[in-house]
């Protein structure tokens, strides 16, 4: 098995990663939303449209 971040062989201690560095990179991707899956659900699209309209009507601080 290879590390999904850098393709080096994995280390049992950090599996499925090769190092703490690659594990931290992966965690960062989760926390920033890089692994988000796009939705085509009409309710999600309506919520997005509402949020965008609200953001445009709010005054900057």
């Amino acid at each position: 098995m290879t590390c999904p971040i850098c393709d080096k062989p994995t280390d049992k201690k950090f599996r499925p990663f090769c190092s703490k560095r690659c594990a931290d990179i992966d965690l960062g991707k989760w926390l920033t939303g890089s692994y988000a899956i796009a939705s085509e659900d009409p309710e999600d699209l309506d919520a997005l449209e509402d949020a965008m309209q609200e953001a445009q009507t709010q005054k900057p601080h």
Side-chain angles (χ1 to χ4, degrees):
M1 176 186 254
T2 60
C3 177
I5 301 298
C6 70
D7 292 325
K8 291 181 182 176
T10 61
D11 183 321
K12 285 184 181 181
K13 184 176 178 182
F14 302 105
R15 197 167 199 167
F17 306 102
C18 67
S19 65
K20 182 171 178 358
R21 178 186 171 276
C22 285
D24 288 345
I25 289 171
D26 184 72
L27 177 60
K29 287 182 178 184
W30 280 106
L31 294 175
T32 61
S34 295
Y35 288 140
I37 298 172
S39 172
E40 294 183 21
D41 184 338
E43 291 180 14
D44 291 339
L45 295 175
D46 290 342
L48 174 62
E49 184 179 355
D50 292 344
M52 290 176 67
Q53 287 176 354
E54 183 178 326
Q56 289 177 346
T57 59
Q58 290 181 354
K59 294 180 182 179
H61 298 293

